[in-house]
Structure formats: C-alpha cells, structure tokens
Amino acid sequence: MNESVQLTDEQQELVEEPATARLLVTAPAGTGKTLSLIHRLAFLIDEEELEPSELLVLSFSRAAVREIRSRLRAFGSGAAHVDVRTFDSYATWILSEVMPDGPWRRQDFDQRIREATRLLKEDSDAAELVGEVRHLVVDEVQDLVGDRAELVHALLRADLDGFTLLGDPAQGIYGFQLDDPQDRLAGAARLYDAIRERFADDLTEITLAGNFRAREPEARAALHFSTALSASDAPFGKLQRELRTVLLAGDSLGTLDQAAPVLSRMTAPTALLCRGNREALLASRRLHELGVQHRLQRSAQDRVIPSWVAALFRDVDSKQPLKDSVLPIVMDAAVDPREAWGLLRRMDPNRRGETLDLTAVRRRLASGDYPDELCPSQSEPLAVSTIHRVKGLEFDQVVVVDPGEAPDGDPIEQAERARLLYVAMTRPRDLLMYVKPAAKLTTGHLRQQRDGRWAELGFKSGRHLGMEIRPDDMNAEDPAGTVGFQGDAQEIQTYLATTVNPGDPVTLVQVAGASSAEVPRYVLEHDGNPIGVTSDSFAAALRTLLPGRDRRIPSRIEELRVDSVETVVGREAAGVNAGLGWSGVWLRPRIAGLGRFDWAGEQA
C-alpha cells in the first residue's frame, strides 16, 4: 500500500483482518471510515491476493460510490478495479445479466431490488453471478431497511469467504420506512443485534475512534452522543432534548430572513438542513424570494445523466465513433476527458480499441445500468436539504433549522428526531449554526398527498395555493417541441444545452384551448421560451389534487427553478421524426420546487 497515512490502531486492525474474516465495524461520524475502507480493499488485494473481481463493495448513496472510487484511483493499488456500486445499480446489473429484456426495465428501483433478491434466492444464473465474489463489503450498513436489507441478507447467504460491514447505529435514520413500531424505535441497533446473533462466535467486531472531520470545536459538539444513541433501549427523549440544547447553545442566525444576507455571502460548501421535505421546500422558496442562490439537494435515488452525454449522440456522425471524435465533445463540456472516456467504455461490452459502441451505450442508459459516477454532483455552494439527503456527506458549514422539541409520550418520534439531529450536527467540518423554525413561510398550510408530494392550501378558503413539482413531472418520452406545443426540436435542444442553467426561474403555462375532458398539460417556459412539456404522471397528480365537477386547473404554476438539464432516453422513432438522429437520446429540463398556482384566467 503506497499512501503514506498514519492509521490509528483500530483502523490498522480493521485493515489487516484476513479475507476470511467476518467483520462488523462501528464507525461513528468522522472516524475515518472511508480511509479505512480504501486501505482494507488494497490489503485484501495486495496482501490477501484477492482479485478485484472477487471483491464487491455496496453503498447506499451515489455520493459515497463516487468518493470511494475516486480515492481508490488515487491510491494507486489494484483496488482501483474493484466493483463499487449502489444497491440500486447492483440490482439493475443482476437483472440486466439474467433477464436483459425482462419487465424490470419498466420498474422503479425498489421493485428492481425485490426482483434481484428473488433471483439470488431462486435462479441458478443469478447465483452464479454472485459466486465469483469472495469478500463482500457493505458501507453505511445502518441504513439498510426493507428491500435493501433483504438483498444484503441474500448476499450473505452466498458462498462468501468473508465480509466487512461498516456503519454507525447512531446514524440509522431510515427506520421510518419500517412498519413494526418496535423496529422503528430500536433503529439500526436491532440490525446490528441480528448480525451478532446470526454469526455468533464467527463475528469480529471493531469500533473506530477519534475524529478526522471536525476542524473546529463547535463542529464536535454532538460527537459524544454516538455511543448513547447506538443502544436499542436508549433514553431517546432525554437525548433529543440534550442534543437540541447543544444546538441552541451555539451560533444563531435568527430567522431565515435574517440569515439570508449571511447565507448569500457563503462561498464554502454550506448546507441548510431541514427535518423534512416540507420544510426544505418552504425554505428554498423563501430564499429564492430573497435572492439567495442555492440548490435543492436531490434525493438519494435520483440518477441524473449529464448533458454532455446527449451532446455525444447529437454531434458525432457514427454509431461507433473513434476516441478522437469523442474527446473534443467531452472537453467542450468541461469534463475530465480521461474520466469520461473510462465511464463510456465501461458501458461498452467490447472495451477494446479506440472505438465506442454507441448502440451498446444507449442500451445501458435506457435500462439504468450505467456507472453511478456518471451522475454528477451538484455544484452550488449552498444546499438546502432534508437531513436524509445529506447522509454520508460533509460540509464546511452547516445551518440546522431548529426542529423543535419532540412530543412527550411518543418514543418513536423522539428516537427518530434524536438520530436526525445527531446526523445533522455531525455534518460540518468547521461551523455549526442554527435558524429558527420555518413554519411561518406560507400563508396557508402544507398537506402531504398519497404520492408523497406536498400541496399548499389556504387556511380559510381551503383553496389550493400550490404543489410540489418533481423532476419526473417533465415528459421524457418525446423531445420538446413535438408534443404539447410545436417548435423546432433541434433549436430547443441547442437552447437547452447553451442557455438554460441550474437555478434559472421557469414557469409552467397551461396549454391554450385545452378542455376539461383532456389530460391537463403545461408547457415549461424559460425566459418566455418553451423548453418542455409536462408528463402524464404530472397530469394524474394534478387531477388527484384538484378533484371536482368543474375540474378547474390553474393557468400558470410559478416560482419554479431549473435543477439541471439532463440527458434522457426516449422513443427512438420520436427522435428520428424530430430530426434528432437515430438514438432517441436528447435533453430535457429537470425542475423542482414548491410551485405557486396562478388562478387568473383559469380554464375549465
């Protein structure tokens, strides 16, 4: 191993356990878990003589996968070739190998994980795929609940030599997805207990110590709560109150309006962390009103293919272009050409020579079986986010929206709020601050719909004031300009590639002349220019939100922002008919935010 880093005794012990070891590692926030993991993988290859193909690393988030792969490449060991994937990506890979044309291609990631788990248990071809793996590494194991937990249990039942499971029960914040109240209360501690019981005397446990993230004292304020929060029978009400007391004893930025001038001047990576999506949507809307540039942090399940991929399909003349034809397009997009070429080659089954099979790349993009590192990270310095969405991330500065006291007599809420607060307060490297609750940022109130999105209603009138708009509310099946409104599809693609930027304001405008019997459809306008049209799933959500005999819908939905311009794979025939080439690959805008309804000039 050639990275000169002084490991702690606990880290060294973890790294040098043999390949046959069954390891359960507790790694509290900032204790160097990723560094230890990199050295462990290098040790297993360099000293235990495992091949990279005999190792599998699974992690919860794409951000973690990008970080691990980047550090493996920099490390310089054969570990750079280890397969590192999210659970979503790994399940998709299994399905694409065993049943490439199966119905899973139309399923979401949760359904894919369930199907992949079934195949691992019942299908010999799937079992053979896993059979090559000798050592399994699972990062952020405390986040495993439901379908993802079942996938890991299926892998652990395979013929492995050993495994390394790393996590921190104190940071187990996905228990809300469980149905059993006692499981939700116990959190990840119950998973740890189940692993201990299953492997009994064969299990080796290691706990990492120290902190290598926090650089300032205030960033260490919550670290000592880790041990107490890791117990399944912890006094969560007391711990939640104590954590909040520590938070409120720190620096206050006042209300969000008072904090806005400070937030607008921050250039270092900063996160404004909210307890849930309701608060994040309200905070984002208000910051935009105050002129504070920021981004809404994406969900961990969002996989955004960058716009330069569409440029590749649009600008090359061949289905098998040479490397020399690909690299200039990548460089024009300010992307590292060597890294981009490597990612493209990983989607090409040939992987030899100086040509790229774009047909194979398109197939992988369409199925969702593409490298997690292809999805870029967001770049705006200020992120407005739920605490769940920054799990595993760190920032120079963190501002926590005060979540308030958990209600008495509700131990589950107390436990979940304590763990959330601990995760939020352990994200900063330098500064930890707080602002007052964001509850008064609406003239009405927000109510969650059956599909999970939030709707805004007036207190007195009961009339709908707005709704949450999601990235998949924009049509991806057809290029803009061919459905909902008529425009030059090629010119719109150029406009999207050159003029539309993250954070730009956009408005949804109802298609003129639509009748109440038709699917409600809106055109997305950017600076008065149409750049997209809403999807059928958006129409269904709007109809569900606005029932009634007259079926009236707002003429406009305003106060929305561009999240990004992404590459999508739609119908090949639609692309050909629009003059966009053979591939069915083009750009669409992703939008997000809490839209505000404009009922002036509403149509029936």
Side-chain angles (χ1 to χ4, degrees):
M1 293 182 288
N2 58 6
E3 186 176 286
S4 60
V5 173
Q6 184 64 46
L7 300 177
T8 67
D9 291 343
E10 296 85 3
Q11 290 173 332
Q12 196 72 43
E13 179 186 2
L14 161 60
V15 168
E16 296 182 352
E17 285 289 330
T20 55
R22 295 174 169 181
L23 288 179
L24 179 61
V25 181
T26 299
T31 53
K33 172 176 62 67
T34 303
L35 173 68
S36 303
L37 172 57
I38 300 305
H39 280 261
R40 172 100 178 117
L41 294 171
F43 177 85
L44 290 172
I45 289 174
D46 297 341
E47 305 298 331
E48 292 289 285
E49 299 183 345
L50 294 186
E51 294 294 329
S53 61
E54 295 175 323
L55 285 161
L56 171 63
V57 182
L58 296 178
S59 187
F60 191 78
S61 72
R62 278 173 290 285
V65 168
R66 280 194 300 270
E67 175 71 9
I68 292 169
R69 290 196 66 92
S70 174
R71 291 172 71 168
L72 284 173
R73 286 194 299 270
F75 195 83
S77 164
H81 303 291
V82 170
D83 195 9
V84 185
R85 294 176 181 263
T86 61
F87 298 102
D88 301 347
S89 173
Y90 186 65
T92 298
W93 174 75
I94 290 174
L95 294 169
S96 65
E97 291 291 319
V98 177
M99 39 193 296
D101 297 318
W104 61 269
R105 295 167 64 92
R106 297 182 295 275
Q107 295 175 339
D108 62 27
F109 283 117
D110 288 342
Q111 293 170 314
R112 292 183 183 190
I113 288 172
R114 286 194 291 273
E115 181 63 13
T117 302
R118 185 190 67 79
L119 289 175
L120 289 175
K121 294 176 180 178
E122 302 174 4
D123 188 279
S124 59
D125 291 336
E128 187 176 344
L129 287 175
V130 179
E132 187 178 0
V133 177
R134 293 176 57 191
H135 195 95
L136 172 68
V137 177
V138 181
D139 186 29
E140 302 285 6
V141 70
Q142 79 281 343
D143 291 333
L144 292 177
V145 296
D147 298 327
R148 287 163 182 79
E150 288 301 314
L151 175 63
V152 170
H153 284 308
L155 290 170
L156 291 175
R157 283 190 288 268
D159 189 21
L160 299 170
D161 290 350
F163 58 75
T164 302
L165 310 179
L166 306 97
D168 178 13
Q171 298 184 62
I173 58 175
Y174 286 90
F176 69 90
Q177 298 177 1
L178 299 172
D179 294 327
D180 187 290
Q182 292 306 311
D183 285 343
R184 288 181 61 182
L185 180 62
R190 181 156 293 183
L191 173 64
Y192 267 59
D193 290 342
I195 294 170
R196 293 181 182 112
E197 181 179 352
R198 177 176 174 182
F199 294 100
D201 296 336
D202 291 336
L203 192 68
T204 299
E205 289 204 53
I206 297 173
T207 299
L208 301 184
N211 187 275
F212 305 95
R213 173 186 297 162
R215 298 183 292 223
E216 299 295 335
E218 51 264 48
R220 301 188 182 97
L223 293 175
H224 69 278
F225 287 90
S226 175
T227 301
L229 283 169
S230 296
S232 59
D233 58 350
F236 292 110
K238 176 175 177 290
L239 292 172
Q240 189 272 338
R241 289 190 295 272
E242 290 178 354
L243 276 162
R244 184 165 177 263
T245 298
V246 171
L247 175 69
L248 300 185
D251 293 335
S252 171
L253 296 182
T255 65
L256 192 62
D257 282 30
Q258 293 168 334
V262 178
L263 295 173
S264 66
R265 294 193 298 270
M266 290 181 173
T267 56
T270 303
L272 177 73
L273 299 185
C274 307
R275 182 181 164 217
N277 199 35
R278 172 188 179 278
E279 292 81 7
L281 289 167
L282 288 172
S284 176
R285 174 199 276 177
R286 184 57 182 155
L287 288 176
H288 279 308
E289 291 172 348
L290 296 169
V292 180
Q293 290 188 333
H294 66 278
R295 69 176 191 269
L296 263 176
Q297 186 74 17
R298 296 174 189 145
S299 164
Q301 279 68 48
D302 282 346
R303 303 183 84 207
V304 179
I305 304 173
S307 59
W308 62 263
V309 176
L312 178 63
F313 284 89
R314 183 177 64 246
D315 295 344
V316 298
D317 297 326
S318 170
K319 292 184 180 181
Q320 293 190 326
L322 293 170
K323 182 178 180 180
D324 289 345
S325 300
V326 172
L327 294 187
I329 296 172
V330 173
M331 286 187 286
D332 285 346
V335 178
D336 182 339
R338 186 169 59 179
E339 180 179 354
W341 178 253
L343 291 171
L344 293 168
R345 294 294 291 168
R346 284 168 59 187
M347 292 185 281
D348 183 344
N350 185 24
R351 297 191 186 185
R352 292 182 180 179
E354 296 293 302
T355 62
L356 182 68
D357 186 348
L358 284 182
T359 303
V361 172
R362 183 205 182 278
R363 191 180 308 116
R364 293 282 295 273
L365 294 174
S367 69
D369 183 22
Y370 50 84
D372 289 296
E373 308 95 283
L374 184 66
C375 308
S377 56
Q378 295 168 281
S379 58
E380 191 70 37
L382 175 61
V384 175
S385 178
T386 66
I387 298 169
H388 290 93
R389 292 184 179 184
V390 296
K391 185 69 184 59
L393 301 179
E394 56 188 62
F395 302 85
D396 287 357
Q397 302 159 136
V398 166
V399 182
V400 180
V401 178
D402 177 15
E405 287 286 353
D408 291 334
D410 190 344
I412 294 176
E413 178 67 19
Q414 291 171 343
E416 293 181 348
R417 202 174 293 198
R419 295 182 189 114
L420 277 173
L421 201 47
Y422 172 76
V423 169
M425 294 171 65
T426 55
R427 297 308 94 198
R429 302 183 189 97
D430 298 318
L431 297 180
L432 174 65
M433 299 161 280
Y434 75 94
V435 295
K436 294 180 180 179
K440 297 182 179 179
L441 296 180
T442 173
T443 56
H445 68 282
L446 266 60
R447 185 175 68 191
Q448 197 164 24
Q449 306 301 296
R450 289 183 179 179
D451 64 354
R453 75 174 76 213
W454 290 93
E456 187 177 20
L457 290 81
F459 277 120
K460 295 181 179 180
S461 66
R463 190 171 199 183
H464 291 86
L465 305 178
M467 66 183 288
E468 177 187 355
I469 305 299
R470 297 173 170 177
D472 59 1
D473 286 336
M474 298 307 299
N475 180 35
E477 292 297 311
D478 306 275
T482 61
V483 173
F485 71 96
Q486 293 301 309
D488 188 313
Q490 296 180 60
E491 289 184 0
I492 294 172
Q493 289 293 300
T494 300
Y495 185 84
L496 284 167
T498 60
T499 309
V500 180
N501 298 298
D504 285 355
V506 287
T507 301
L508 289 172
V509 180
Q510 188 187 3
V511 173
S515 70
S516 59
E518 295 176 344
V519 173
R521 199 176 291 278
Y522 288 74
V523 171
L524 182 69
E525 292 189 354
H526 174 274
D527 198 23
N529 297 294
I531 59 172
V533 68
T534 51
S535 63
D536 290 344
S537 61
F538 165 81
L542 186 64
R543 281 303 193 197
T544 301
L545 178 65
L546 302 173
R549 295 179 180 177
D550 56 2
R551 296 279 192 182
R552 293 189 178 277
I553 58 177
S555 58
R556 298 163 64 90
I557 305 177
E558 302 176 326
E559 300 187 17
L560 299 170
R561 299 281 168 164
V562 175
D563 169 83
S564 62
V565 175
E566 68 174 339
T567 296
V568 296
V569 183
R571 298 183 297 113
E572 294 177 60
V576 172
N577 292 336
L580 299 179
W582 63 272
S583 66
V585 177
W586 52 73
L587 296 173
R588 78 158 177 179
R590 287 170 55 93
I591 56 174
L594 183 62
R596 195 185 297 276
F597 292 164
D598 180 357
W599 291 98
E602 65 193 57
Q603 298 185 28

